[in-house]
Amino acid sequence: MQQDSFIIEYFKIKNLLKVSAIDPHTKIEVCVFGSVSTSKEFITDLAIQKLKYQLNKKLITPVSG
């Protein structure tokens, strides 16, 4: 997986900004919401962090014992 090669989408819904982050390789998508008054960069970073968390979570497989 190439670092930070994500698709970012922005949707304004009334007073909210919805930011979707998508990994093009695995097709995993996460969404975060924030106020339109919040920094766009902050919400984008939050979405990317959430996506990276989900990607790392998928890599961990439970070991049956």
Side-chain angles (χ1 to χ4, degrees):
M1 178 177 66
Q2 190 175 2
Q3 188 79 7
D4 295 336
S5 59
F6 306 125
I7 299 168
I8 306 295
E9 296 177 335
Y10 301 95
F11 299 98
K12 185 178 175 190
I13 306 167
K14 296 193 181 201
N15 291 331
L16 291 176
L17 181 63
K18 175 185 175 187
V19 179
S20 299
I22 306 160
D23 178 47
H25 303 290
T26 62
K27 310 295 190 260
I28 294 175
E29 177 179 359
V30 298
C31 300
V32 295
F33 292 86
S35 172
V36 292
S37 62
T38 306
S39 163
K40 193 175 187 179
E41 293 81 18
F42 177 79
I43 299 174
T44 302
D45 288 343
L46 189 61
I48 291 171
Q49 288 176 8
K50 185 175 180 180
L51 179 58
K52 287 180 179 179
Y53 172 79
Q54 289 298 321
L55 291 171
N56 286 332
K57 194 170 139 181
K58 298 285 182 190
L59 292 175
I60 300 172
T61 56
V63 177
S64 59

